[in-house]
Amino acid sequence: MSEFLRRFARQFSALNKDNLQSLGELYSDDIHFTDPLHEVQGLAQLRDYFGELYANVSELRFDFHGFDQIGDCEGYLRWVMSYRHPRLAGGRLIRVSGCSHLLWHDKVYRHRDYFDAGALLYEHLPVLGRVIAWLKRRMG
C-alpha cells in the first residue's frame, strides 16, 4: 500500500477554493497535468485551472477508493468525483468515476486524469445531452 498515494489523496480531498495555495505542497513547479478536457503546464497554470474549476461549481468532492502503486514513484488513484453546477442537470449532484495516473519524486510532477467527459459535462447540457443519450441508445 502506497503511503505517498494515501497522503496525496487525503491532501487533494481537502482542497477548496480557499486553500489552492497549498497545491505547491502536492505538485512540483513543473507539473504537467492532463485530463480529457484540459492540459496544463506549471504550478501557476494549475492554480488558475483549479481556481476556475472551484469558482464554477457550488460543490465539488473527490472520494478516493483505490491506491495502486505500480512501480517506484508511479501509481494510480481511483476515485468518484461529485459536483453540482448551477447550470447543469438542474443543479443536481453529478457523480463521475475516474482514475489518476501519478508520477512523483518528493512531489507529483505528472498527473493524468482519466474519466468519461460525457458523463462529466456533455450529457448534462440541455441540447447536447439529449443528442448523446440518443446516440448511446442507438449504439447500445
Side-chain angles (χ1 to χ4, degrees):
M1 194 63 65
S2 170
E3 185 50 41
F4 181 91
L5 288 171
R6 288 189 171 280
R7 187 173 65 250
F8 180 93
R10 203 167 38 249
Q11 290 177 274
F12 193 91
S13 295
L15 289 174
N16 61 53
K17 63 180 174 35
D18 300 317
N19 66 3
L20 293 179
Q21 70 282 357
S22 66
L23 283 170
E25 297 168 22
L26 296 172
Y27 295 104
S28 63
D29 290 341
D30 64 345
I31 177 63
H32 185 185
F33 176 94
T34 312
D35 69 25
L37 303 171
H38 297 89
E39 185 161 357
V40 177
Q41 189 74 49
L43 195 53
Q45 277 190 14
L46 187 66
R47 267 196 203 101
D48 290 346
Y49 172 55
F50 276 67
E52 286 177 32
L53 188 67
Y54 282 95
N56 289 320
V57 296
S58 54
E59 184 180 334
L60 177 62
R61 188 179 77 241
F62 285 85
D63 296 304
F64 292 92
H65 59 84
F67 310 88
D68 307 309
Q69 186 160 348
I70 60 168
D72 288 345
C73 301
E74 180 177 8
Y76 287 89
L77 291 171
R78 287 171 285 141
W79 43 262
V80 176
M81 179 178 65
S82 305
Y83 79 103
R84 287 180 205 276
H85 189 290
R87 294 193 307 273
L88 297 176
R92 291 187 311 278
L93 194 66
I94 298 169
R95 287 187 180 83
V96 180
S97 294
C99 74
S100 301
H101 177 236
L102 304 178
L103 298 172
W104 66 87
H105 296 303
D106 54 330
K107 298 178 183 179
V108 171
Y109 64 88
R110 183 75 177 92
H111 179 151
R112 181 167 192 147
D113 279 349
Y114 297 91
F115 58 81
D116 179 349
L120 177 80
L121 178 63
Y122 305 127
E123 292 173 15
H124 305 289
L125 298 171
V127 174
L128 199 51
R130 287 193 293 273
V131 171
I132 291 172
W134 178 81
L135 282 171
K136 279 184 163 180
R137 284 193 305 272
R138 297 276 307 201
M139 298 170 74

